[in-house]
Amino acid sequence: MKKARFTQDQIIGILKEHQAGATAADLCRKHGISDATFYTWRSKYGGMEVSEARRLKALEEENAKLKRLLAESVMDVSMLKELLGKKLVTPGLRRDAVAWAIRAKDYSQRRACRLIGMDPKTWRYASRRPDDAAVRGRLRELAAERRRFGYRRLHILLDREGLAMNHKKLFRLYREEGLSVRKRGGRKRALGTRSPMMLPDGPNQRWSLDFVSDALNNGRRFRVLTVVDDYTRECLALVADTSLSGERLGRELDRIGEHRGWPLMIVSDNGTEMTSNAILAWQEKRSVLWHYIAPGKPQQNGFVESFNGRFRDECLNEHLFRNISHARTVIDDWRADYNAVRPHTSLNGMTPEAFAQQAGTAYSNPQTLTQN
């Protein structure tokens, strides 16, 4: 701003000379000003004293400041309206908002940081973290191969490959890469109290079995028999077919028992296949205790119910089956992967087969069973 040639005191002094009798033309010639300037001074400062002129100047400066603050406030409100719906809950989002205000709204750095609620030092901070490109790439590959795995199981798989890191760092990379698993709806939960299920202390003490249904591409329904060892968490069988009778169930259990031995107890629901005469005869022949859960209480068969959830989420929901032969191939491959590769969180990240080997499983019928 160009500095004025005359101060307020000088201007009022010139006007007093005019009041004393000097003509405007003489004053303009004497001080080197134009007639328009002189009459502008007289309309603004005519009849004022120096103190009054100073007070007027202070009021004008304060008024200009208030106008500037009002304009900035209106602009801030407009900018905040554009940011509505964006929750600035992380430093990264706030940093992006500050950068947008500086770039798009021509804000100063200090003003933008003050409006967003971020310290300027935080905004200027440049991260010195390594980009971890190799880990990120492998993490994306594993997440693409196993789309229903969360970061805990992916952490175990990376650790097996020698990419060891803190689970908190892996979770940060997992979120930054946008790999969070989307939940597929909810499930009904039983109300009231539950009595805890006693865990078996050895293999072949208790098996759990159930049926899972799905459909082929042509809409034809088929069922899958699932059999799980409650101690080792091994999937002993996944039998897919369009019809599974009680006699077929007995034959499949015999097939498992031929190379593994028969259990002391089997837990199941009250389906027609489980309560058929064929299964009653099979129980008596093999001397196997069969425990039926209470009707409408699937939580009493929690091991196989949990397995069914993983089986449906990671296998059935991930594939379209052309025919029953294709379904059997995919299901058998998934079962092999589940037993030998997939980490199991309840086994401290071990696979069921590794846990069975560590426990020294001989697959012989135990002589005792933990009493419930």
Side-chain angles (χ1 to χ4, degrees):
M1 182 178 179
K2 186 178 179 181
K3 184 178 180 181
R5 289 173 54 199
F6 298 90
T7 65
Q8 289 181 338
D9 297 349
Q10 292 173 335
I11 293 173
I12 291 177
I14 294 172
L15 294 177
K16 285 187 178 295
E17 291 180 20
H18 179 65
Q19 293 176 359
T23 62
D26 293 340
L27 291 174
C28 290
R29 189 181 312 109
K30 177 181 177 182
H31 297 286
I33 59 176
S34 65
D35 293 344
T37 301
F38 176 79
Y39 288 111
T40 300
W41 287 353
R42 193 176 71 173
S43 63
K44 185 175 182 180
Y45 298 105
M48 284 189 180
E49 298 294 334
V50 175
S51 60
E52 295 174 342
R54 290 176 179 173
R55 192 180 303 111
L56 176 62
K57 182 179 180 182
L59 290 174
E60 289 177 346
E61 291 178 350
E62 184 177 356
N63 188 38
K65 183 179 179 180
L66 291 175
K67 286 183 178 179
R68 185 173 63 255
L69 291 176
L70 179 60
E72 291 179 354
S73 177
V74 172
M75 190 173 181
D76 290 347
V77 171
S78 175
M79 195 197 77
L80 290 175
K81 285 182 178 179
E82 294 186 34
L83 289 174
L84 285 178
K86 302 177 181 178
K87 295 184 178 180
L88 308 179
V89 295
T90 63
L93 293 176
R94 293 184 180 183
R95 187 177 288 108
D96 293 343
V98 171
W100 173 80
I102 295 174
R103 181 183 64 256
K105 299 298 182 179
D106 200 24
Y107 273 35
S108 67
Q109 181 187 122
R110 187 178 298 275
R111 180 184 173 191
C113 290
R114 183 175 62 250
L115 181 63
I116 301 300
M118 188 177 200
D119 192 276
K121 292 182 179 179
T122 304
W123 184 78
R124 292 192 296 265
Y125 174 77
S127 176
R128 294 187 291 272
R129 285 175 174 169
D131 57 358
D132 298 307
V135 177
R136 291 174 184 269
R138 185 54 183 156
L139 184 63
R140 288 193 298 268
E141 292 175 2
L142 289 175
E145 294 173 3
R146 301 175 179 276
R147 299 192 302 166
R148 303 305 299 174
F149 274 24
Y151 79 96
R152 292 181 178 87
R153 286 195 173 90
L154 294 176
H155 185 207
I156 296 173
L157 296 179
L158 288 174
D159 189 61
R160 290 179 185 173
E161 299 178 2
L163 299 175
M165 68 181 65
N166 186 283
H167 71 280
K168 292 181 286 187
K169 177 180 178 180
L170 179 68
F171 181 61
R172 175 175 61 82
L173 299 179
Y174 179 81
R175 293 186 61 184
E176 290 176 358
E177 294 298 323
L179 302 177
S180 299
V181 179
R182 181 176 177 269
K183 292 185 178 180
R184 290 171 171 159
R187 64 181 180 88
K188 295 182 179 179
R189 299 185 180 272
L191 301 178
T193 59
R194 298 178 181 177
S195 58
M197 179 180 289
M198 300 299 294
L199 296 177
D201 57 7
N204 272 14
Q205 288 191 3
R206 186 173 65 208
W207 294 356
S208 298
L209 55 88
D210 199 3
F211 288 97
V212 180
S213 63
D214 203 0
L216 304 175
N217 281 351
N218 57 13
R220 186 176 184 183
R221 306 293 297 181
F222 69 94
R223 305 176 75 193
V224 182
L225 169 66
T226 60
V227 184
V228 177
D229 188 306
D230 292 351
Y231 179 72
T232 64
R233 307 298 201 275
E234 292 174 280
C235 176
L236 306 182
L238 287 176
V239 182
D241 209 334
T242 54
S243 177
L244 291 169
S245 63
E247 294 180 355
R248 175 72 179 280
L249 175 58
R251 291 197 302 269
E252 294 297 336
L253 294 176
D254 281 337
R255 182 179 59 82
I256 301 172
E258 287 176 358
H259 68 87
R260 184 184 179 90
W262 285 270
L264 290 182
M265 175 184 287
I266 291 180
V267 182
S268 73
D269 58 18
N270 296 269
T272 55
E273 299 87 355
M274 318 296 187
T275 57
S276 64
N277 290 330
I279 290 299
L280 295 177
W282 185 89
Q283 298 175 38
E284 185 176 357
K285 178 181 178 181
R286 300 301 180 190
S287 300
V288 174
L289 178 63
W290 200 292
H291 175 73
Y292 295 98
I293 64 174
K297 297 290 184 179
Q299 64 271 20
Q300 294 180 3
N301 200 9
F303 290 100
V304 76
E305 291 292 343
S306 176
F307 172 82
N308 290 345
R310 303 284 74 76
F311 173 50
R312 182 175 296 281
D313 188 45
E314 298 175 12
C315 181
L316 298 182
N317 291 346
E318 292 293 303
H319 297 87
L320 294 175
F321 304 114
R322 298 186 298 272
N323 48 52
I324 193 64
S325 177
H326 178 229
R328 288 169 179 166
T329 301
V330 172
I331 290 172
D332 287 343
D333 292 342
W334 184 87
R335 174 178 171 269
D337 179 83
Y338 177 88
N339 285 333
V341 180
R342 182 186 186 275
H344 205 295
T345 53
S346 65
L347 303 178
N348 295 324
M350 299 177 62
T351 63
E353 286 187 359
F355 177 76
Q357 293 174 2
Q358 180 178 337
T361 305
Y363 300 130
S364 60
N365 288 333
Q367 301 300 319
T368 59
L369 175 66
T370 302
Q371 298 296 325
N372 291 339

